Each structure stands twice: as structure tokens, then as C-alpha cells.
Amino acid sequence: CGSSFPALVQFPQGTTPGAAYGNCVDVTRPPSDCLSLSRGGDSGDPHFLRWAQQHHDSFHGECDLLLVSNRQKAIHVTIRTRIRKWYSYIYKTAIAIGEHVVELGKAYLAIDGINLTLDTASNTSFPMELQDAIHGTVTIDATGKEEFRIGWGTSPSFISVTIIGVFVNVDVQNREGDSFVESVGMMGKYGTGEMLDRKGQPMDPNDMNAFGMEWQVKPDRGDPLLFSQPEGPQWPESQCVLPQWVDLKRKKGRRKLRGSNNDKLIEEAKSACSDVIDYDLCVEDILATGEIGLAKTFVPNKTVTAY
């Protein structure tokens, strides 16, 4: 971690660094594919959206995971998950750009290992800037939802982190250039989302548990340790720990059981998830967590216009 305290400064009035959108990174794809091709990430009750995909896949192991990493560009994103009863959720993320690391969680912000006190008052918005032209904005709305947007240099690409309740959601968007072209991790192969192991070999697309275990943060394989403090299962002493459910069917049944006792929540979940592709997964997440806002972390079920 860095030894100097990064300066927080105000940007000029009316400017939003990194807000400009670049062109679709792959001109050989139809315009409607541009967004999914250059975007990916995860949502709090851990579902992973790989590059060029529209449907989420789930891995519920508790550990630190390498979401996306490009060693050539020195851009890395790791997430930390925690088990809650029969499922797990993402409760922290650490993002490294160059030599600087930003750690984020519920009411938690640390830069280069130094904790910062967040003003959690509603409708708060302020910009921040680190050394080496790393910039971002922090917004906290009236519901307590926290949004962080991190960019670098003059690139329109950015990483967005939204925290709803205790659930951390990471959205990686490569708007132009090659920031993530050689990346590896839980988001798969850039441009296709293919699930690859650490040797670049294809993995079984139906086995997310094996894929998640493969991309646990492993320092002896060259993965960066971004979190300032170790927590939970850490490689090589322990691999990711899975929740103790009997089987997937029982897990889904228990998630729905919570909603069956709350007709209002069921209707709110159905309404909030009505326009997303992973409708069933979206409804189940809301019934399990009670967080209606999680619906916004799923891919909309509509055609997207190219940038």
C-alpha cells in the first residue's frame, strides 16, 4: 500500500470525468451487441456476468475472487464474498489501477490502505482524484444506496460499484481501447466470455463451482493481494468454502419460502424484475434478501443502442 495520503479534490463545475462514451470495441459485431461485448461484472448475491454474455451465472463460494485482471495494463478487480445461511454475497471489492488500490464496502472506503470516513448523509455527491490521473465520483442517495465510479486518464472506460444494503455490485465497462483485452478471471475471455482456466484452456461451462475455485485469489500464481486485511478463507491455507445446502432445488425452495410469507414483497419483486433477462434469478434474489434495488443489477430485456 502507498505511504502518502491521496488528495481528494473538486473537479471543475459541470464536468464528469470519464463520462464520455467511446465507440463499440468490436466493429465486426452487430450494434446491439456492443454493450454486452464490452461490459461485465457481478451482482451482490454473487452472480457473474461474463464478457459478451447477457445471462448471469452463480458461484456461492466464500473467499476472495479475481473478477478481472490485466497485468499488462496493471488493472485488477477482486471481490470478497461472505456466506449468509444458504447463499453468499459480495460485501467488499478492491480495485487496483497502477500502484493505487481503492477498497469499497457498505459505508467503507479505503484508498491505499488508509480508511476514509464516508459522509453517509442522503443525496451526497462528491468527486475524488488520485495520483496518476485516476479519478472518480462518489454518490449517496436518499435511500442510502452508495455509488462509486472509477476511471483512469482520458479513457472513457470505467468501473462502477453500487452498494445496495450490504450487497456490493461491480460493473466493468470497456468503452474503448484495450484496457481489458488481455484480461483473465471470473469474467472469462474478453470478447466472448468463454470460461478459461489459468492455462487458457476451456472449462466446463456448466460447472461454475470449478470455475470459481479456479479463480480464487492465489498469490503463488501471481494474483495481486489487494485487500489491506485478510479475511475468510485464504489460499493456499484454504480454498473457497461453499454453503452447506443439501442441493440446488432445496436452496431455491428456501429462498422462495421467505417470499411466500410476504405477498407485498412478491408483487414488488415481480414488478421490479419484469424487464430483466434473468427474471427468475432476479425475483429469487429479492425474495431471499428483501432488497428491491438488486433488480437494477440485472441486464435489461431490451435492445441496446450502440455507443
Side-chain angles (χ1 to χ4, degrees), residues 160-184:
S160 175
V161 178
T162 303
I163 303 175
I164 302 171
V166 296
F167 301 95
V168 174
N169 309 276
V170 182
D171 185 12
V172 181
Q173 299 205 23
N174 192 40
R175 294 295 175 86
E176 70 174 7
D178 58 355
S179 296
F180 297 98
V181 172
E182 299 297 327
S183 61
V184 298

mmCIF file of all heavy atoms in Angstrom, residues 160-184:
data_model
loop_
_atom_site.group_PDB
_atom_site.id
_atom_site.type_symbol
_atom_site.label_atom_id
_atom_site.label_comp_id
_atom_site.label_asym_id
_atom_site.label_seq_id
_atom_site.Cartn_x
_atom_site.Cartn_y
_atom_site.Cartn_z
ATOM 1 N N SER A 160 -17.697 0.732 -12.194
ATOM 2 C CA SER A 160 -18.739 1.286 -11.335
ATOM 3 C C SER A 160 -19.059 0.291 -10.222
ATOM 4 O O SER A 160 -19.200 -0.911 -10.481
ATOM 5 C CB SER A 160 -19.998 1.581 -12.162
ATOM 6 O OG SER A 160 -21.057 2.010 -11.339
ATOM 7 N N VAL A 161 -19.160 0.782 -9.002
ATOM 8 C CA VAL A 161 -19.507 -0.054 -7.853
ATOM 9 C C VAL A 161 -20.762 0.530 -7.214
ATOM 10 O O VAL A 161 -20.785 1.703 -6.841
ATOM 11 C CB VAL A 161 -18.370 -0.113 -6.819
ATOM 12 C CG1 VAL A 161 -18.787 -0.963 -5.619
ATOM 13 C CG2 VAL A 161 -17.100 -0.665 -7.449
ATOM 14 N N THR A 162 -21.810 -0.282 -7.120
ATOM 15 C CA THR A 162 -23.051 0.134 -6.476
ATOM 16 C C THR A 162 -23.293 -0.750 -5.264
ATOM 17 O O THR A 162 -23.201 -1.974 -5.357
ATOM 18 C CB THR A 162 -24.241 0.006 -7.443
ATOM 19 O OG1 THR A 162 -23.982 0.778 -8.617
ATOM 20 C CG2 THR A 162 -25.529 0.499 -6.792
ATOM 21 N N ILE A 163 -23.584 -0.134 -4.122
ATOM 22 C CA ILE A 163 -23.818 -0.880 -2.887
ATOM 23 C C ILE A 163 -25.264 -0.669 -2.470
ATOM 24 O O ILE A 163 -25.692 0.455 -2.195
ATOM 25 C CB ILE A 163 -22.860 -0.436 -1.777
ATOM 26 C CG1 ILE A 163 -21.412 -0.606 -2.255
ATOM 27 C CG2 ILE A 163 -23.112 -1.243 -0.505
ATOM 28 C CD1 ILE A 163 -20.380 -0.081 -1.283
ATOM 29 N N ILE A 164 -26.029 -1.761 -2.474
ATOM 30 C CA ILE A 164 -27.446 -1.741 -2.125
ATOM 31 C C ILE A 164 -27.621 -2.590 -0.874
ATOM 32 O O ILE A 164 -27.414 -3.797 -0.902
ATOM 33 C CB ILE A 164 -28.306 -2.291 -3.277
ATOM 34 C CG1 ILE A 164 -28.064 -1.469 -4.553
ATOM 35 C CG2 ILE A 164 -29.779 -2.293 -2.902
ATOM 36 C CD1 ILE A 164 -28.697 -2.058 -5.786
ATOM 37 N N GLY A 165 -28.007 -1.959 0.232
ATOM 38 C CA GLY A 165 -27.993 -2.689 1.500
ATOM 39 C C GLY A 165 -26.556 -3.030 1.834
ATOM 40 O O GLY A 165 -25.700 -2.147 1.920
ATOM 41 N N VAL A 166 -26.263 -4.323 2.013
ATOM 42 C CA VAL A 166 -24.879 -4.752 2.236
ATOM 43 C C VAL A 166 -24.288 -5.384 0.989
ATOM 44 O O VAL A 166 -23.147 -5.857 1.004
ATOM 45 C CB VAL A 166 -24.801 -5.756 3.407
ATOM 46 C CG1 VAL A 166 -25.225 -5.100 4.701
ATOM 47 C CG2 VAL A 166 -25.639 -7.011 3.125
ATOM 48 N N PHE A 167 -25.033 -5.393 -0.105
ATOM 49 C CA PHE A 167 -24.632 -6.119 -1.305
ATOM 50 C C PHE A 167 -23.841 -5.216 -2.244
ATOM 51 O O PHE A 167 -24.302 -4.154 -2.665
ATOM 52 C CB PHE A 167 -25.858 -6.684 -2.022
ATOM 53 C CG PHE A 167 -26.663 -7.606 -1.169
ATOM 54 C CD1 PHE A 167 -27.758 -7.142 -0.454
ATOM 55 C CD2 PHE A 167 -26.316 -8.944 -1.051
ATOM 56 C CE1 PHE A 167 -28.496 -7.993 0.356
ATOM 57 C CE2 PHE A 167 -27.045 -9.804 -0.240
ATOM 58 C CZ PHE A 167 -28.135 -9.325 0.468
ATOM 59 N N VAL A 168 -22.637 -5.665 -2.597
ATOM 60 C CA VAL A 168 -21.739 -4.908 -3.465
ATOM 61 C C VAL A 168 -21.864 -5.435 -4.894
ATOM 62 O O VAL A 168 -21.778 -6.643 -5.142
ATOM 63 C CB VAL A 168 -20.283 -5.035 -2.985
ATOM 64 C CG1 VAL A 168 -19.323 -4.372 -3.963
ATOM 65 C CG2 VAL A 168 -20.131 -4.430 -1.591
ATOM 66 N N ASN A 169 -22.080 -4.521 -5.834
ATOM 67 C CA ASN A 169 -22.221 -4.869 -7.242
ATOM 68 C C ASN A 169 -21.160 -4.127 -8.041
ATOM 69 O O ASN A 169 -20.992 -2.916 -7.898
ATOM 70 C CB ASN A 169 -23.609 -4.471 -7.751
ATOM 71 C CG ASN A 169 -24.716 -4.999 -6.856
ATOM 72 O OD1 ASN A 169 -25.144 -6.120 -6.976
ATOM 73 N ND2 ASN A 169 -25.165 -4.160 -5.910
ATOM 74 N N VAL A 170 -20.439 -4.852 -8.892
ATOM 75 C CA VAL A 170 -19.350 -4.273 -9.673
ATOM 76 C C VAL A 170 -19.686 -4.369 -11.153
ATOM 77 O O VAL A 170 -20.060 -5.435 -11.647
ATOM 78 C CB VAL A 170 -18.018 -4.987 -9.397
ATOM 79 C CG1 VAL A 170 -16.885 -4.323 -10.184
ATOM 80 C CG2 VAL A 170 -17.699 -4.995 -7.905
ATOM 81 N N ASP A 171 -19.559 -3.259 -11.862
ATOM 82 C CA ASP A 171 -19.856 -3.179 -13.288
ATOM 83 C C ASP A 171 -18.606 -2.655 -13.991
ATOM 84 O O ASP A 171 -18.176 -1.530 -13.755
ATOM 85 C CB ASP A 171 -21.042 -2.239 -13.511
ATOM 86 C CG ASP A 171 -21.496 -2.184 -14.960
ATOM 87 O OD1 ASP A 171 -21.054 -3.041 -15.748
ATOM 88 O OD2 ASP A 171 -22.281 -1.287 -15.301
ATOM 89 N N VAL A 172 -18.012 -3.488 -14.854
ATOM 90 C CA VAL A 172 -16.793 -3.117 -15.579
ATOM 91 C C VAL A 172 -17.170 -2.810 -17.019
ATOM 92 O O VAL A 172 -17.748 -3.653 -17.703
ATOM 93 C CB VAL A 172 -15.753 -4.253 -15.541
ATOM 94 C CG1 VAL A 172 -14.482 -3.845 -16.281
ATOM 95 C CG2 VAL A 172 -15.434 -4.641 -14.097
ATOM 96 N N GLN A 173 -16.842 -1.618 -17.480
ATOM 97 C CA GLN A 173 -17.205 -1.221 -18.837
ATOM 98 C C GLN A 173 -15.982 -0.727 -19.598
ATOM 99 O O GLN A 173 -15.360 0.267 -19.223
ATOM 100 C CB GLN A 173 -18.288 -0.135 -18.805
ATOM 101 C CG GLN A 173 -19.568 -0.614 -18.139
ATOM 102 C CD GLN A 173 -20.785 0.150 -18.599
ATOM 103 O OE1 GLN A 173 -20.805 0.737 -19.672
ATOM 104 N NE2 GLN A 173 -21.827 0.133 -17.784
ATOM 105 N N ASN A 174 -15.649 -1.450 -20.664
ATOM 106 C CA ASN A 174 -14.534 -1.090 -21.528
ATOM 107 C C ASN A 174 -15.101 -0.332 -22.723
ATOM 108 O O ASN A 174 -15.554 -0.927 -23.689
ATOM 109 C CB ASN A 174 -13.781 -2.339 -21.993
ATOM 110 C CG ASN A 174 -12.462 -1.994 -22.649
ATOM 111 O OD1 ASN A 174 -11.744 -1.109 -22.194
ATOM 112 N ND2 ASN A 174 -12.137 -2.679 -23.722
ATOM 113 N N ARG A 175 -15.102 0.999 -22.652
ATOM 114 C CA ARG A 175 -15.754 1.800 -23.674
ATOM 115 C C ARG A 175 -14.912 1.976 -24.929
ATOM 116 O O ARG A 175 -15.423 2.299 -25.987
ATOM 117 C CB ARG A 175 -16.147 3.162 -23.092
ATOM 118 C CG ARG A 175 -17.225 3.050 -22.003
ATOM 119 C CD ARG A 175 -18.522 2.532 -22.601
ATOM 120 N NE ARG A 175 -19.544 2.286 -21.606
ATOM 121 C CZ ARG A 175 -20.393 3.202 -21.147
ATOM 122 N NH1 ARG A 175 -20.296 4.439 -21.535
ATOM 123 N NH2 ARG A 175 -21.318 2.872 -20.263
ATOM 124 N N GLU A 176 -13.601 1.843 -24.810
ATOM 125 C CA GLU A 176 -12.735 1.904 -25.984
ATOM 126 C C GLU A 176 -11.352 1.430 -25.568
ATOM 127 O O GLU A 176 -11.053 1.297 -24.389
ATOM 128 C CB GLU A 176 -12.656 3.325 -26.561
ATOM 129 C CG GLU A 176 -11.907 4.319 -25.693
ATOM 130 C CD GLU A 176 -11.724 5.672 -26.379
ATOM 131 O OE1 GLU A 176 -12.287 5.864 -27.465
ATOM 132 O OE2 GLU A 176 -11.033 6.517 -25.797
ATOM 133 N N GLY A 177 -10.491 1.193 -26.547
ATOM 134 C CA GLY A 177 -9.119 0.831 -26.237
ATOM 135 C C GLY A 177 -8.975 -0.618 -25.798
ATOM 136 O O GLY A 177 -9.862 -1.445 -25.988
ATOM 137 N N ASP A 178 -7.841 -0.916 -25.181
ATOM 138 C CA ASP A 178 -7.507 -2.302 -24.860
ATOM 139 C C ASP A 178 -7.261 -2.514 -23.373
ATOM 140 O O ASP A 178 -6.460 -3.354 -22.983
ATOM 141 C CB ASP A 178 -6.271 -2.736 -25.653
ATOM 142 C CG ASP A 178 -5.051 -1.850 -25.382
ATOM 143 O OD1 ASP A 178 -5.215 -0.854 -24.651
ATOM 144 O OD2 ASP A 178 -3.968 -2.158 -25.897
ATOM 145 N N SER A 179 -7.976 -1.777 -22.526
ATOM 146 C CA SER A 179 -7.754 -1.880 -21.087
ATOM 147 C C SER A 179 -7.951 -3.295 -20.561
ATOM 148 O O SER A 179 -7.317 -3.699 -19.582
ATOM 149 C CB SER A 179 -8.683 -0.914 -20.335
ATOM 150 O OG SER A 179 -8.392 0.422 -20.646
ATOM 151 N N PHE A 180 -8.853 -4.073 -21.193
ATOM 152 C CA PHE A 180 -9.186 -5.402 -20.666
ATOM 153 C C PHE A 180 -9.026 -6.517 -21.702
ATOM 154 O O PHE A 180 -9.421 -7.649 -21.446
ATOM 155 C CB PHE A 180 -10.626 -5.406 -20.135
ATOM 156 C CG PHE A 180 -10.849 -4.475 -18.993
ATOM 157 C CD1 PHE A 180 -11.397 -3.211 -19.194
ATOM 158 C CD2 PHE A 180 -10.480 -4.829 -17.705
ATOM 159 C CE1 PHE A 180 -11.594 -2.335 -18.140
ATOM 160 C CE2 PHE A 180 -10.672 -3.958 -16.641
ATOM 161 C CZ PHE A 180 -11.223 -2.704 -16.863
ATOM 162 N N VAL A 181 -8.445 -6.211 -22.851
ATOM 163 C CA VAL A 181 -8.383 -7.200 -23.933
ATOM 164 C C VAL A 181 -7.626 -8.454 -23.518
ATOM 165 O O VAL A 181 -7.998 -9.564 -23.883
ATOM 166 C CB VAL A 181 -7.757 -6.570 -25.200
ATOM 167 C CG1 VAL A 181 -7.504 -7.637 -26.263
ATOM 168 C CG2 VAL A 181 -8.684 -5.492 -25.756
ATOM 169 N N GLU A 182 -6.570 -8.315 -22.733
ATOM 170 C CA GLU A 182 -5.783 -9.482 -22.309
ATOM 171 C C GLU A 182 -6.151 -9.933 -20.900
ATOM 172 O O GLU A 182 -5.367 -10.620 -20.246
ATOM 173 C CB GLU A 182 -4.289 -9.135 -22.376
ATOM 174 C CG GLU A 182 -3.792 -8.759 -23.757
ATOM 175 C CD GLU A 182 -3.925 -9.897 -24.755
ATOM 176 O OE1 GLU A 182 -3.800 -11.071 -24.340
ATOM 177 O OE2 GLU A 182 -4.160 -9.610 -25.938
ATOM 178 N N SER A 183 -7.330 -9.567 -20.430
ATOM 179 C CA SER A 183 -7.688 -9.846 -19.040
ATOM 180 C C SER A 183 -8.075 -11.304 -18.818
ATOM 181 O O SER A 183 -8.456 -12.021 -19.749
ATOM 182 C CB SER A 183 -8.843 -8.942 -18.608
ATOM 183 O OG SER A 183 -9.993 -9.182 -19.396
ATOM 184 N N VAL A 184 -7.989 -11.717 -17.554
ATOM 185 C CA VAL A 184 -8.387 -13.060 -17.124
ATOM 186 C C VAL A 184 -9.243 -12.920 -15.874
ATOM 187 O O VAL A 184 -9.369 -11.844 -15.296
ATOM 188 C CB VAL A 184 -7.157 -13.947 -16.830
ATOM 189 C CG1 VAL A 184 -6.310 -14.144 -18.071
ATOM 190 C CG2 VAL A 184 -6.306 -13.329 -15.708
#
